Amino acid sequence: QVQLVESGGGLVQAGGSLRLSCAASGNIDSIRSMGWYRQGPGKQRELVATITAGITTHYAASVKGRFTISSDNGKKTVYLQMNSLQPEDTAVYFCNGIFKTDLFKSYWGQGTQVTVSS
């Protein structure tokens, strides 16, 4: 049973920073990619950032230059450093991982709330 557990969310003022962490556990043979998605109030879930093979990163245009994704595949953990946070970054942030157990599958965490006050 693969589980993803996020931490690090909270309330911050505009211009502040937060660091999210997501740790995976379970019988994972290999990691294809890990990433972060978010869902704001009344919005659809959207991609924030992904990291593939621990090296190749991809960011949504809205966060490029402010957010940094990194990972430690040995620890099966992905991080999201969020700087210069704005009220529009307010959302539930979900961790995603594409892992191989028997086959490659996509797994999701429960989400962590990030609230940015103006």
Side-chain angles (χ1 to χ4, degrees):
Q1 187 81 5
V2 173
Q3 287 189 321
L4 293 169
V5 178
E6 301 104 333
S7 61
L11 173 65
V12 65
Q13 290 188 328
S17 298
L18 284 174
R19 187 184 193 224
L20 305 182
S21 299
C22 172
S25 62
N27 190 21
I28 297 171
D29 289 336
S30 64
I31 298 173
R32 175 174 290 173
S33 68
M34 297 186 77
W36 292 93
Y37 292 70
R38 68 185 181 186
Q39 188 165 13
K43 298 182 180 179
Q44 290 188 330
R45 191 174 299 190
E46 63 178 1
L47 180 146
V48 176
T50 60
I51 183 165
T52 301
I55 298 173
T56 304
T57 58
H58 174 74
Y59 295 93
S62 59
V63 306
K64 194 173 291 187
R66 300 187 298 124
F67 291 10
T68 302
I69 189 170
S70 61
S71 67
D72 183 336
N73 280 4
K75 294 182 179 180
K76 302 175 187 173
T77 301
V78 65
Y79 307 95
L80 186 68
Q81 178 66 43
M82 305 186 292
N83 298 329
S84 302
L85 283 160
Q86 299 301 315
E88 51 266 34
D89 295 316
T90 294
V92 178
Y93 283 69
F94 295 91
C95 176
N96 173 266
I98 300 177
F99 305 133
K100 183 177 184 292
T101 53
D102 51 348
L103 301 172
F104 276 104
K105 297 177 184 176
S106 179
Y107 297 88
W108 292 92
Q110 293 297 307
T112 184
Q113 177 70 45
V114 172
T115 303
V116 185
S117 63
S118 57

